[in-house]
């Protein structure tokens, strides 16, 4: 029996070692083919592991963004894969010179047949190297001569094709040559956020500043709207008896675009209606419709909330601002919500923002000695001195109920001062009325080593003037 098995193995070995193909001087047997296939499978598995390791672990540690991680991982994987295939061919006894002759002969015959594959391959390399389109980018494609477009997020780029996830969640696989040869709108080439633009037409006779405030309120109250790229309101002008506005906001996820647009439309319509402001249903407003608007406006006057413009004018530093100055202030500031019992800031935190309470209540206290100082509510403001003088907080502020704040941070305040140079001197004059407090704050900063000799002065008013110029680079 053992002799029989040995005989079968010997015959099988002879069959496997028997040459079945000859390329140049190289003879190819079944055994070498099996070895070649197995080696290629090992190289492919290794390349997949290398790709995932680079993309999901190693390159993340270097702080590289998703798009560049994808490109680098793909390029390195193809390089190591190509080297691996060459090493496998050499190790299994294949003569690469003979294969080159064969490839040249086949290339002449198949050149025309694989030109599209070659074009896609070269285009894929171009996309990965140039990175004009990266994984994570939002792009818009022209898919027909009638200028029909399709928008989606780039999910994956290979050497042959690119996978794009459309707004409805489907995956579009498109040859790379299409992305290189045809015009592509990259919505996130320099910025990862996606813009939403809402057009709002308001009946003539309304206050543009109030409309601006309502639109910005709606944008800031929506959590999905990006806060690092502030919303903008554009007043396009007057036409056919209506006021034409655009609200522009940015979001981080393209799949949220229609959802956020719907939420903002609901919020804008509700808040405008509460203020007695109505959309134009007919762009040609006649006397009758304007009369109806006036009646609605009169009917809902008592339901209107106190405008932010009114609140800002209660702040002594802004009481002389005209409507144009207040509009700038509305765009510089932003809304912030804090929950009941949430701490807004603590003692010795940086004084980097000024707050106006739009709704709710906050408690101001000194936690070190457990002393209650005051309770502030709607239309009251705090934190302006710490912001203006860039000094640490002297108290802790905690929300007593869900509270909405209008916030002007140090970057916004610097922009405000540079746009209104006379405001700095008005602030100095107003602070001069409280010299005792200024002297106390000045001494506090001296003890903390936060005042240098160039700005210090025995006169606290002179010190404040120097301090403003230094802190806000005036």
């Amino acid at each position: 029996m053992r002799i029989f098995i040995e005989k079968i193995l010997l015959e099988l070995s002879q069959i496997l070692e028997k040459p079945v193909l000859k390329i140049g001087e190289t003879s190819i047997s079944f055994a070498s083919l099996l070895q070649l296939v197995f080696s290629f499978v090992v190289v492919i598995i290794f390349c997949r592991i290398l790709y995932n390791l680079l993309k999901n672990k190693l390159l993340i540690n270097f702080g590289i963004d998703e798009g560049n991680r994808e490109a680098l991982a793909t390029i390195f994987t193809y390089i190591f894969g190509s080297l691996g295939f060459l090493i496998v061919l050499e190790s299994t006894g294949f003569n690469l010179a003979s294969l080159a002759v064969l490839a040249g002969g086949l290339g002449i015959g198949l050149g025309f047949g694989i030109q599209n594959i070659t074009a896609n391959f070269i285009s894929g390399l171009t996309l990965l190297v140039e990175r004009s389109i990266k994984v994570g980018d939002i792009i818009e494609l022209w898919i027909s001569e009638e200028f029909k477009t399709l928008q989606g997020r780039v999910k994956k780029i290979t050497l042959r094709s690119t996978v794009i996830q459309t707004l409805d969640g489907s995956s579009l696989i498109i040859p790379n040559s299409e992305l290189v040869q045809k015009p592509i709108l990259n919505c996130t080439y320099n910025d990862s956020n996606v813009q939403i633009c809402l057009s709002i037409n308001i009946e003539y006779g309304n206050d543009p500043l109030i409309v601006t405030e309502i639109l910005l309120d709606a944008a800031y109250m929506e959590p999905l709207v990006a806060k690092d790229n502030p919303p903008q309101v554009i007043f396009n002008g007057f036409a056919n008896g209506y006021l034409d506005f655009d609200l522009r906001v940015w979001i981080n996820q393209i799949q949220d675009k229609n959802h956020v647009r719907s939420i903002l439309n609901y919020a804008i319509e509700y808040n405008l209606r509460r203020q007695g402001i109505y959309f134009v249903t007919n762009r040609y407003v006649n006397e009758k419709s304007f009369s109806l608007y006036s009646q609605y406006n009169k009917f809902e006057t008592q339901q209107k909330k106190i405008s932010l413009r009114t609140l800002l004018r209660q702040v002594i530093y802004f009481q002389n601002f005209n409507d144009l100055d207040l509009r700038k202030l509305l765009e510089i500031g932003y809304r912030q919500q804090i929950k009941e019992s949430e701490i807004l800031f603590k003692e010795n935190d940086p004084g980097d923002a000024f707050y106006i309470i739009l709704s709710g209540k906050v408690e101001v206290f000194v936690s070190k000695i457990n002393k209650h100082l005051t309770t502030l509510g709607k239309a009251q403001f705090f934190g302006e001195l710490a912001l203006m003088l860039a000094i640490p907080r002297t108290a802790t502020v905690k929300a007593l109920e869900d509270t909405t704040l209008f916030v002007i941070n140090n970057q916004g305040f610097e922009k405000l001062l540079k746009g209104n140079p006379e405001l700095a001197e008005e602030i100095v004059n107003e602070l001069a009325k409280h010299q005792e407090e200024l002297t106390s704050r000045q001494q506090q900063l001296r003890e903390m080593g936060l005042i240098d000799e160039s700005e210090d002065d025995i006169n606290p008013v002179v010190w404040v003037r120097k301090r403003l110029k230094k802190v806000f680079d005036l």
Side-chain angles (χ1 to χ4, degrees), residues 192-353:
S192 61
N193 291 338
V194 181
Q195 187 186 89
I196 299 175
C197 183
L198 301 177
S199 181
I200 298 98
N201 297 328
I202 302 297
E203 289 184 336
Y204 186 76
N206 287 285
D207 188 338
L209 193 60
I210 295 296
V211 176
T212 298
E213 178 186 335
I214 291 172
L215 298 181
L216 289 174
D217 273 338
Y220 276 112
M221 290 299 103
E222 172 48 47
L224 293 177
V225 171
K227 301 302 185 292
D228 54 344
N229 204 344
Q232 292 180 334
V233 174
I234 308 299
F235 186 12
N236 295 315
F238 316 86
N240 299 324
Y242 67 92
L243 309 179
D244 185 14
F245 293 88
D246 283 342
L247 172 63
R248 297 177 183 176
V249 302
W250 287 259
I251 59 175
N252 295 318
Q253 301 294 334
I254 187 173
Q255 59 267 27
D256 295 330
K257 187 173 183 178
N258 292 333
H259 177 61
V260 173
R261 181 188 294 274
S262 175
I263 290 175
L264 290 178
N265 281 330
Y266 276 114
I268 290 169
E269 190 279 333
Y270 173 75
N271 291 331
L272 287 173
R273 179 159 41 85
R274 287 187 63 195
Q275 290 292 97
I277 300 174
Y278 296 92
F279 293 101
V280 172
T281 55
N282 186 344
R283 291 188 175 183
Y284 297 92
V285 181
N286 53 34
E287 293 183 2
K288 182 177 180 181
S289 64
F290 187 81
S291 175
L292 286 173
Y293 153 74
S294 301
Q295 294 177 25
Y296 284 128
N297 193 31
K298 181 178 179 181
F299 178 76
E300 297 202 4
T301 298
Q302 295 180 348
Q303 300 182 23
K304 294 182 180 181
K305 65 177 183 178
I306 300 176
S307 71
L308 184 53
R309 173 176 59 180
T310 302
L311 298 181
L312 288 171
R313 282 213 170 107
Q314 293 179 10
V315 181
I316 53 179
Y317 312 109
F318 309 138
Q319 60 187 1
N320 295 323
F321 272 30
N322 59 36
D323 283 358
L324 296 180
D325 294 328
L326 289 175
R327 184 194 64 80
K328 296 177 184 177
L329 199 58
L330 289 176
E331 293 187 340
I332 287 172
Y334 59 93
R335 281 73 172 166
Q336 180 178 347
Q337 291 181 310
I338 53 176
K339 299 292 185 181
E340 182 180 353
S341 300
E342 182 179 347
I343 299 292
L344 180 62
F345 57 75
K346 298 180 179 179
E347 298 147 62
N348 298 319
D349 282 352
D352 55 3

Side-chain angles (χ1 to χ4, degrees), residues 54-73 76 131 134:
L54 287 171
K55 179 183 175 182
N56 300 322
K57 290 188 178 180
L58 295 181
L59 296 178
I60 290 179
N61 296 333
F62 291 97
I64 300 175
D65 61 80
E66 181 187 11
N68 290 326
R69 289 202 308 270
E70 178 82 21
L72 290 173
F76 278 117
R131 292 177 296 173
K134 306 184 294 295

Side-chain angles (χ1 to χ4, degrees), residues 6 26 73 115 130 169 176 181 191 204 212-213 215 220 247 251 257 363-364 408 412 414 423 434 436 450 470-471:
E6 290 178 352
T26 304
Q115 58 181 341
E130 289 186 352
N176 288 329
Q181 297 173 6
D191 192 340
Y204 186 76
T212 298
E213 178 186 335
L215 298 181
Y220 276 112
L247 172 63
I251 59 175
K257 187 173 183 178
E363 178 188 10
V364 184
I408 300 176
E414 179 177 346
L423 179 60
H434 310 279
E436 184 177 341
L450 298 178
K470 177 184 177 182
V471 170

Side-chain angles (χ1 to χ4, degrees), residues 93-109:
F94 282 87
N95 189 325
L96 296 181
S98 300
L99 292 178
V101 173
L102 176 62
L106 291 174
I108 296 174

Side-chain angles (χ1 to χ4, degrees), residues 106-119:
L106 291 174
I108 296 174
L110 300 177
F112 290 103
I114 63 172
Q115 58 181 341
N116 288 336
I117 297 177
T118 304

Side-chain angles (χ1 to χ4, degrees), residues 338-385:
I338 53 176
K339 299 292 185 181
E340 182 180 353
S341 300
E342 182 179 347
I343 299 292
L344 180 62
F345 57 75
K346 298 180 179 179
E347 298 147 62
N348 298 319
D349 282 352
D352 55 3
F354 157 60
Y355 304 90
I356 299 176
I357 302 175
L358 301 180
S359 64
K361 291 181 182 179
V362 300
E363 178 188 10
V364 184
F365 63 96
V366 180
S367 59
K368 289 182 179 179
I369 57 177
N370 195 25
K371 180 181 179 181
H372 170 82
L373 298 181
T374 186
T375 298
L376 301 176
K378 183 176 180 179
Q380 294 182 291
F381 58 92
F382 59 94
E384 72 282 1
L385 194 59

